[in-house]
Amino acid sequence: MIRPVQHIGAMSPYALAQLDVPAGKSLISLSQNESLRPPSPLAIKAAAAAVQAAHMYPDPEWVVLREALSELHDIPAEGILCGNGSMELIGCLTQAYADDKNAVLAPAHAYPFFRTATALARARFDTAPEEDGRVCVDNLLNAVQPDTRIVFVANPGNPTGTFISRQELVRLRDGLASDILLVIDEAYGEFADHRDAPMFDLVERGNTVVLRTLSKAYGLAGQRVGWGLFPPAIAREVRKIMNPNNISLAGQASASAAIIDQTYMRETCDMTAQLRDRFRDRLMSAEFDVPESFTNFVLIRFASAEQVKSVDAYLKAEGAFLRPQNGAGLAHCLRATIASAEDLNTAAGLLESWKKEETS
Ligand SMILES: Cc1ncc(COP(=O)(O)O)c(C=O)c1O
């Protein structure tokens, strides 16, 4: 039999949402942190036009997209790398800076793909405890080992939804040795831009990368466009690993157009925040435990993993899919993506009736 290399054979496939809708029910998907509405009409038009030239390879330098990002965030275009989703950038960074002789560190309830990327690079994955679902800088600094090479922090966090201040992230950077790479993953950054000043200036220190994506606030998850601001030396190494034709023509064109349409993106963030806060208020009135979120999802904490199994089965039987969080070490939690008002209303109603049955 042909065998895979050992570390791949030992890995489980990355767990995405399972959306098996029971016969006769319609799908209510609150499971993948997708945007509650399609992308900007300008992005849709740009993607359709780009397909006309689909017999040609896409721009390997992402020139138009980088220029749009550079202008929007007032950052140097040369420092920007665009990925096939920010997942590609997370994977390539890990491969470039960690291996089987060292370790990657992240908060205990971090985005599960940090662990997967670490396993792919054959490195050890260490975690630091969080404090009530919030990243704790002191715990991260205490968890650093002599062989720690990379520290990943998502801010806001997924699946926690919590946010830590710029001051705390600067304190983390200051407390880490200069030869440890800090990756600040701001996949949900647009939902929290109003909270604090941007982090891009930390990249000038030469050992910090800031990642963002078009998958969330810009509603382009299906086009697979992520990006980051990189110090030049790190960008050089990462580019050796990336697929040189990584983002399709339509992906680049729609992303560039979406970035120009800031009004639409900001409107999406406002709509999401309003629906999120209303959904959270309703669930809290029904005595669910729902921490404040700075993203396009909320985390719902239950008394036990058994309760999560029960409520998950109850919701799925009705075609409603929230996301269990065992992968992030939170087996007693479900994550609910903020979707349309109608879907949220149905999901909230189902959660309430599950609770009535559970307590009767
Ligand atoms: C924290 C975080 N980082 C990165 C990603 C990956 O996003 P994408 O590859 O779609 O850009 C996600 C997606 O859910 C995420 O939650």
Side-chain angles (χ1 to χ4, degrees), residues 14 32-33 83-88 90 111 113-114 154-159 185-188 211-216 220-221 224-227 297 335:
Y14 189 70
Q32 304 213 87
N33 290 353
N84 189 259
S86 49
M87 286 176 109
E88 184 188 23
I90 292 166
Y111 175 48
F113 189 68
F114 298 150
N155 195 40
N158 171 21
D185 176 352
E186 299 186 335
Y188 303 91
L211 300 178
R212 288 211 167 196
T213 182
L214 278 282
S215 295
K216 309 297 175 185
L220 283 172
R224 312 304 304 126
V225 188
W227 65 279
F297 58 86
R335 190 191 67 196

Side-chain angles (χ1 to χ4, degrees), residues 11-73:
M11 284 176 68
S12 312
Y14 189 70
L16 291 169
Q18 303 278 329
L19 304 175
D20 304 321
V21 185
K25 304 284 177 191
S26 26
L27 172 67
I28 298 174
S29 174
L30 273 57
S31 59
Q32 304 213 87
N33 290 353
E34 293 151 341
S35 174
L36 51 71
R37 64 174 179 164
S40 151
L42 299 185
I44 296 171
K45 204 165 148 204
V51 174
Q52 306 283 326
H55 57 295
M56 297 172 74
Y57 282 108
D59 177 3
E61 298 294 329
W62 326 281
V63 170
V64 177
L65 179 53
R66 277 167 134 180
E67 280 305 324
L69 288 164
S70 159
E71 197 165 311
L72 173 66
H73 292 286

Side-chain angles (χ1 to χ4, degrees), residues 47-359:
V51 174
Q52 306 283 326
H55 57 295
M56 297 172 74
Y57 282 108
D59 177 3
E61 298 294 329
W62 326 281
V63 170
V64 177
L65 179 53
R66 277 167 134 180
E67 280 305 324
L69 288 164
S70 159
E71 197 165 311
L72 173 66
H73 292 286
D74 194 19
I75 52 177
E78 319 79 72
I80 297 171
L81 293 187
C82 301
N84 189 259
S86 49
M87 286 176 109
E88 184 188 23
L89 300 171
I90 292 166
C92 293
L93 275 164
T94 313
Q95 239 181 292
Y97 290 94
D99 63 20
D100 58 356
K101 293 172 201 61
N102 43 55
V104 172
L105 173 64
H109 309 301
Y111 175 48
F113 189 68
F114 298 150
R115 186 187 286 273
T116 303
T118 303
L120 287 170
R122 285 189 268 186
R124 195 179 71 246
F125 189 67
D126 295 339
T127 59
E130 299 191 18
E131 298 292 339
D132 193 30
R134 282 167 60 90
V135 170
C136 173
V137 167
D138 291 320
N139 290 349
L140 278 169
L141 291 173
N142 287 333
V144 170
Q145 301 295 316
D147 61 355
T148 303
R149 295 294 308 274
I150 307 176
V151 177
F152 277 108
V153 176
N155 195 40
N158 171 21
T160 56
T162 53
F163 178 82
I164 62 165
S165 67
R166 173 187 160 85
Q167 199 185 350
E168 281 296 277
L169 284 168
V170 172
R171 194 164 75 78
L172 173 61
R173 180 63 275 175
D174 289 343
L176 292 172
S178 61
D179 62 353
I180 295 179
L181 171 63
L182 173 63
V183 180
I184 303 172
D185 176 352
E186 299 186 335
Y188 303 91
E190 286 79 6
F191 296 102
D193 276 340
H194 60 286
R195 302 274 309 171
D196 220 332
M199 298 306 306
F200 296 115
D201 58 312
L202 274 194
V203 176
E204 286 163 23
R205 299 195 187 191
N207 48 19
T208 304
V209 170
V210 177
L211 300 178
R212 288 211 167 196
T213 182
L214 278 282
S215 295
K216 309 297 175 185
Y218 290 97
L220 283 172
Q223 292 284 24
R224 312 304 304 126
V225 188
W227 65 279
L229 188 65
F230 291 69
I234 296 179
R236 237 182 344 267
E237 300 308 320
V238 168
R239 286 211 76 162
K240 293 179 191 168
I241 306 168
M242 290 169 66
N243 175 347
N245 290 119
N246 63 346
I247 308 179
S248 70
L249 272 171
Q252 295 194 38
S254 54
S256 309
I259 285 158
I260 287 164
D261 197 352
Q262 284 294 301
T263 310
Y264 187 91
M265 185 276 281
R266 285 290 156 215
E267 203 177 78
T268 304
C269 290
D270 291 346
M271 288 166 66
T272 305
Q274 269 182 28
L275 286 167
R276 178 193 66 208
D277 297 344
R278 224 184 299 151
F279 183 62
R280 176 172 177 247
D281 287 348
R282 177 165 168 188
L283 293 186
M284 290 201 312
S285 307
E287 296 189 355
F288 284 96
D289 176 11
V290 189
E292 188 177 16
S293 164
F294 299 93
T295 61
N296 67 339
F297 58 86
V298 293
L299 193 69
I300 311 172
R301 296 192 285 214
F302 293 84
S304 64
E306 285 64 41
Q307 274 206 344
V308 167
K309 280 194 193 123
S310 154
V311 68
D312 195 37
Y314 186 91
L315 294 164
K316 278 182 177 156
E318 297 301 322
F321 293 81
L322 277 64
R323 191 76 172 269
Q325 291 302 319
N326 323 37
L330 294 168
H332 64 299
C333 297
L334 277 182
R335 190 191 67 196
T337 303
I338 301 309
S340 67
E342 193 188 345
D343 283 356
L344 289 174
N345 186 37
T346 309
L350 288 169
L351 284 161
E352 286 161 356
S353 30
W354 169 83
K355 188 159 217 142
K356 267 195 205 117
E357 281 186 23
E358 181 79 2
T359 50

